[in-house]
Amino acid sequence: MGRDRWHEVEEAGALVVARRWPVRFDLAVVTVLPRGGRRFLAHQVRQDMWRALQGLRGFVPAVRVTRTAGGLEVVAGGEVRGRFDRAHAEARIAAVLDDEANRARWQRRAR
């Protein structure tokens, strides 16, 4: 796997995008989005989450997208090597996932 490559693994009906495998979620936030392209959505969420948390030392982002009856369940978070404030980090991820501009952009492009 090259430096710019991500693991994209279909696991128990979910698409998981992660830098390291096996994936580990030391922190995670869940949201539901309307149906769309899982691969594109996973990468966009990962990228936006990374921008919000790039200052968190030892952070390795991961995203799991699962089709459900209500749309797509997105679990965003990942691994953190070292000590960190979980509540603060998860609040920052939630802010990314709840941002209406992000959600609209993801839905426009994840068709």
Side-chain angles (χ1 to χ4, degrees):
M1 182 175 80
R3 181 168 167 77
D4 61 339
R5 298 296 170 126
W6 290 83
H7 294 281
E8 293 179 10
V9 178
E10 199 59 50
E11 178 182 76
L15 174 68
V16 180
V17 174
R19 173 67 84 189
R20 291 195 184 112
W21 200 261
V23 68
R24 191 172 91 198
F25 284 93
D26 295 330
L27 67 153
V29 178
V30 179
T31 192
V32 176
L33 295 166
R35 289 202 178 269
R38 292 184 309 160
R39 183 173 184 262
F40 177 83
L41 177 65
H43 280 283
Q44 286 297 294
V45 169
R46 186 229 4 117
Q47 190 173 49
D48 290 342
M49 178 177 53
W50 170 250
R51 286 184 186 126
L53 291 173
Q54 64 186 355
L56 178 58
R57 187 177 180 142
F59 178 59
V60 182
V63 177
R64 177 181 290 127
V65 181
T66 308
R67 286 191 176 96
T68 66
L72 297 173
E73 179 186 78
V74 178
V75 178
E79 177 181 335
V80 182
R81 293 188 172 189
R83 295 172 54 118
F84 69 103
D85 181 344
R86 179 183 314 277
H88 177 67
E90 288 182 345
R92 293 188 70 182
I93 294 171
V96 169
L97 295 177
D98 294 340
D99 182 273
E100 290 301 322
N102 285 344
R103 293 172 78 91
R105 179 171 42 85
W106 298 336
Q107 290 170 357
R108 272 194 315 272
R109 300 195 57 210
R111 298 287 169 195

